[in-house]
Amino acid sequence: MNIVFDFGNVLVEWNPARLIEHHYAAPDGKAQFADALADTLINHQDWLDFDLGLIDSRELAERSARRLGMDVDGLHEFVDRIPHVLPLCEPTIALMSELTDGSHGAHRVVYLSNMPSAFATVLEARCSWISRFEGGIFSGRVKLAKPDAAIYAAAEAQLNLDPANTLFLDDSPRNVHAARARGWRSEIIVNPHNDQSVRNALIAHGVLRD
């Protein structure tokens, strides 16, 4: 079987509010500062353009700083720091590594992740385990992003995936539903710091034994 891993909240923790808390001091009287900034910064077309590889981190910072009334240099520093400090989901990484070494039978293990190319480059240098994947797609390198059907089609073509024999593991219901619409098997991962969610998905699709 082809097993396709997402990165964010499957292999690495993606919690923008927590990243903001570690970088910025909340203004007095604004207890929800990190959550509010994460929402307005990440859930915007500017960040999607960054994910898509249409703009770099400097242009993202300039656009977002103008829109949010923030210091552009400080915001640029924050964005560039992110891939260096993303926490790793060690239990899931260990399980992925088992799948690539043949411990659970012969499976092709690849990835499909919405990630800016600059983040991907840092993580590839930081995380030796990425080399265990047979291949994969980062959105910033193909100018496509989930849940657009086009990125799943690109994955099928570039990674030689038969939808009926492909299991996709992702934390986003929208991304999972988009994969299912193309005929992929797909499961939502709910706890990246405990491999049980991934393990249960693999058991349900016959990759692992209960």
Side-chain angles (χ1 to χ4, degrees):
M1 181 177 291
N2 307 306
I3 304 169
V4 185
F5 282 82
D6 178 32
F7 264 67
N9 285 336
V10 178
L11 295 164
V12 299
E13 180 184 292
W14 177 240
N15 187 331
R18 185 172 298 173
L19 293 167
I20 289 167
E21 287 176 347
H22 290 167
H23 189 83
Y24 286 102
D28 290 343
K30 294 188 177 180
Q32 303 303 313
F33 167 77
D35 288 330
L37 178 56
D39 183 55
T40 55
L41 178 64
I42 307 298
N43 297 321
H44 191 274
Q45 184 63 42
D46 291 340
W47 193 279
L48 178 57
D49 287 348
F50 184 43
D51 262 350
L52 283 166
L54 302 180
I55 61 174
D56 61 17
S57 62
R58 183 68 193 184
E59 185 170 351
L60 170 67
E62 290 172 351
R63 287 189 190 182
S64 301
R66 285 194 300 268
R67 179 168 55 85
L68 300 172
M70 298 180 67
D71 173 68
V72 64
D73 291 332
L75 189 54
H76 186 211
E77 178 186 353
F78 166 69
V79 173
D80 278 354
R81 179 174 179 266
I82 288 174
H84 296 276
V85 298
L86 284 174
L88 305 182
C89 302
E90 299 289 359
T92 302
I93 292 168
L95 184 52
M96 177 277 295
S97 297
E98 290 180 22
L99 293 172
T100 62
D101 68 14
S103 297
H104 301 286
H107 301 287
R108 299 179 63 235
V109 184
V110 297
Y111 59 83
L112 178 62
S113 179
N114 283 359
M115 186 177 295
S117 56
F119 284 19
T121 298
V122 170
L123 282 175
E124 286 169 336
R126 177 185 166 200
C127 304
S128 61
W129 49 265
I130 294 177
S131 66
R132 300 183 71 96
F133 286 104
E134 182 175 319
I137 289 177
F138 288 118
S139 62
R141 293 176 176 168
V142 296
K143 306 297 191 289
L144 299 167
K146 299 174 292 185
D148 185 348
I151 195 170
Y152 299 92
E156 291 165 12
Q158 294 183 28
L159 303 175
N160 191 27
L161 303 181
D162 171 15
N165 196 40
T166 296
L167 173 60
F168 178 50
L169 308 174
D170 194 291
D171 71 310
S172 165
R174 288 200 313 159
N175 296 345
V176 164
H177 294 155
R180 289 174 180 169
R182 291 197 63 84
W184 295 25
R185 307 183 192 193
S186 190
E187 298 292 340
I188 298 170
I189 304 306
V190 296
N191 185 351
H193 289 292
N194 181 331
D195 74 350
Q196 197 58 50
S197 183
V198 173
R199 190 173 295 276
N200 287 345
L202 295 171
I203 291 171
H205 292 270
V207 176
L208 299 183
R209 295 180 180 177
D210 193 349

